[in-house]
Amino acid sequence: FFFRAMPEITLTYFNMEAAAEKVRLALVMTGTPFEDKRVNFEQWMDLKPSAKYGQLPLLTVDGVQMAQSPALLRWVARKFGDGSLYPQDPDAMFEVESMLALSDDMAKAWGPALYMGMRPNMFGYPEDIKPEDKEALVKTLRERFLAESLPKFMGMFTAQLEKTGAFLCGDKVTIADLQLLPQLRYFTRGVADFVPADSLAPYPVVIGWIDRMLAVPEIKAWYDSKK
């Protein structure tokens, strides 16, 4: 028998959850050792020219760079662990992929409300837009998301959880759960202007799922270590 050494893995991202957290959680859930490297903006500017596709998160595996967080999530789930995070059975995989796609749809719906505050030029507004005008736009977009888009998506996720039970795709955690968890945690942390920390309170089934996810031993240990 030959022992195959675990590769040396570094996940590089900013000191936030955002696009990297689902990949971190997949590594945590599969018991895969990795360096959780957090960089600031100045460090990123130095790193960017040599980074694959010029973006983060970046996974470096035995010196080889890998990028694109959706691909990283799936790769980790297939490469490590017992396979339950991303099942190979076509029907089970479809269930996971449909939940990932629904999560992606919610991210797209939230996108304008998020990026208006950071990059108003993306939406045709001048770089030097007056701060009070930008704030008013952000407020309008975020309040509209909370009033219209969030209830729609929470209704869909609630229906799925009522059907499946413990987790999005059944009695085991999958990468769909790992992607959705940080996405929804963001709305409960009071870190986004005009998004109250109790925004998910009207959705008890979803709140129950978040509580179950945060009680999973590997995930609990991960977040406990970040306190």
Side-chain angles (χ1 to χ4, degrees):
F1 294 96
F2 293 94
F3 175 75
R4 186 175 181 181
M6 183 69 72
E8 289 189 9
I9 298 175
T10 300
L11 181 59
T12 304
Y13 195 61
F14 303 108
N15 189 26
M16 62 179 70
E17 295 187 4
E21 192 69 3
K22 59 183 178 285
V23 185
R24 294 182 184 126
L25 291 176
L27 289 162
V28 166
M29 285 294 294
T30 56
T32 307
F34 72 103
E35 179 188 356
D36 182 26
K37 185 175 181 180
R38 314 252 178 154
V39 298
N40 59 34
F41 185 75
E42 290 74 21
Q43 291 169 321
W44 167 233
M45 286 297 96
D46 292 336
L47 176 63
K48 187 174 182 178
S50 62
K52 190 165 188 176
Y53 309 136
Q55 64 184 38
L56 295 178
L58 190 67
L59 196 69
T60 307
V61 182
D62 286 341
V64 178
Q65 290 187 354
M66 302 171 68
Q68 295 290 356
S69 61
L72 297 178
L73 175 65
R74 290 162 171 82
W75 181 81
V76 169
R78 280 281 166 84
K79 183 78 172 178
F80 307 109
D82 63 4
S84 62
L85 284 180
Y86 191 35
Q88 300 218 25
D89 172 75
D91 294 336
M93 186 174 69
F94 172 79
E95 194 82 1
V96 172
E97 287 290 348
S98 67
M99 288 297 101
L100 288 167
L102 191 59
S103 167
D104 290 339
D105 286 347
M106 185 168 67
K108 290 172 188 173
W110 168 246
L114 173 64
Y115 290 111
M116 180 63 75
M118 296 187 285
R119 306 170 195 162
N121 59 305
M122 288 176 59
F123 305 96
Y125 292 93
E127 289 278 5
D128 59 352
I129 185 174
K130 292 180 181 178
E132 59 269 26
D133 292 342
K134 182 170 73 171
E135 183 178 15
L137 286 167
V138 170
K139 184 174 186 291
T140 297
L141 287 171
R142 294 186 179 182
E143 289 179 348
R144 184 180 299 159
F145 174 84
L146 293 176
E148 299 175 6
S149 296
L150 187 64
K152 178 183 73 172
F153 286 105
M154 291 304 95
M156 295 174 185
F157 285 121
T158 293
Q160 177 73 7
L161 288 165
E162 288 176 338
K163 181 183 77 172
T164 59
F167 303 109
L168 282 176
C169 300
D171 60 356
K172 292 185 178 181
V173 173
T174 69
I175 57 174
D177 298 284
L178 302 185
Q179 175 166 301
L180 187 62
L181 180 62
Q183 189 178 15
L184 293 187
R185 265 170 54 87
Y186 174 79
F187 295 123
T188 68
R189 297 169 68 190
V191 295
D193 292 338
F194 313 113
V195 180
D198 63 354
S199 294
L200 298 184
Y203 314 108
V205 172
V206 173
I207 291 291
W209 167 81
I210 292 175
D211 291 342
R212 286 193 296 279
M213 286 294 294
L214 294 176
V216 171
E218 296 89 345
I219 295 175
K220 183 179 186 303
W222 171 250
Y223 285 121
D224 284 349
S225 74
K226 300 302 173 185
K227 291 180 180 177

